Amino acid sequence: MSILESLSQKFMISAGELRSFIKTAPYRYKVYPIPKKSGKGFRIIAQPSDVLKMMQRMVLEEFLSELPVHSCAAAYREGLSIKDNAEVHAKNQYLLKMDFSDFFPSMAPSDLINHIVKHKGAITAEDAYMIRKLFFWARKQDPTYRLSIGAPSSPFISNTLMYG
């Protein structure tokens, strides 16, 4: 079953109505800055609308949850905490702490689509379109699609994209 068919059934709306919603999904985000912990600059948060969040969670669970996440990945994993990550490194003499600039926003729809194809096999053009529109946000004045800081799907997507 395609992503469109599945969402149409779950939300009990026609495929046409759903297509109209999905077409505008990258712009259905509340975008606002928050100060970085370092005090230097701001982080842009893009929080999807409630309906879009529900759709992201459904598609993530039904279509993407089987994508691999490396066993060493501790961030954003259910049942793991910062303490679990620290315990693995507690006996090391040195520790390197890094913060990647624009980590989530640096991930593009093509990265996720290529990853899905690599691990699950070919997907239809319509499903690729749905993934691009559902999981990545854009500004109307800047059509670059980017992974959102603030979407419930972004942590899993980043973890699976870093698998390799």
Side-chain angles (χ1 to χ4, degrees):
M1 179 178 299
S2 75
I3 292 172
L4 182 70
E5 291 168 332
S6 177
L7 286 176
S8 181
Q9 284 181 3
K10 287 181 179 169
F11 281 89
M12 294 184 282
I13 60 175
S14 73
E17 289 174 303
L18 186 57
R19 274 191 189 95
S20 293
F21 179 89
I22 298 299
K23 184 178 181 180
T24 62
Y27 311 110
R28 293 177 178 269
Y29 287 75
K30 178 181 177 187
V31 180
Y32 54 93
I34 61 169
K36 290 186 177 183
K37 288 181 184 178
S38 67
K40 299 177 184 175
F42 292 88
R43 187 175 317 280
I44 301 297
I45 304 298
Q47 185 179 5
S49 70
D50 290 342
V51 173
L52 183 54
K53 279 186 205 178
M54 282 193 296
M55 287 183 181
Q56 288 175 345
R57 286 184 180 117
M58 288 175 157
V59 173
L60 192 66
E61 186 177 310
E62 190 169 327
F63 292 91
L64 305 182
S65 64
E66 294 175 11
L67 291 172
V69 172
H70 199 280
S71 61
C72 292
Y76 316 117
R77 303 246 336 255
E78 194 172 320
L80 294 178
S81 70
I82 194 167
K83 180 182 175 191
D84 296 312
N85 186 50
E87 286 174 347
V88 174
H89 302 288
K91 295 180 182 171
N92 294 345
Q93 184 177 2
Y94 300 102
L95 178 66
L96 174 62
K97 183 178 175 184
M98 299 171 64
D99 184 13
F100 295 102
S101 178
D102 298 322
F103 180 63
F104 280 8
S106 71
M107 296 178 191
S110 59
D111 298 328
L112 181 56
I113 292 164
N114 291 337
H115 184 73
I116 292 167
V117 169
K118 179 178 179 180
H119 293 282
K120 291 184 74 170
I123 63 172
T124 66
E126 181 181 65
D127 278 351
Y129 174 83
M130 298 291 283
I131 286 166
R132 177 176 176 241
K133 294 288 189 173
L134 280 171
F135 293 113
F136 295 86
W137 74 283
R139 294 180 173 154
K140 289 186 178 178
Q141 64 273 24
D142 175 9
T144 304
Y145 284 71
R146 50 185 64 84
L147 195 58
S148 162
I149 301 170
S153 52
S154 296
F156 176 81
I157 291 171
S158 69
N159 274 345
T160 193
L161 287 178
M162 293 291 101
Y163 177 74

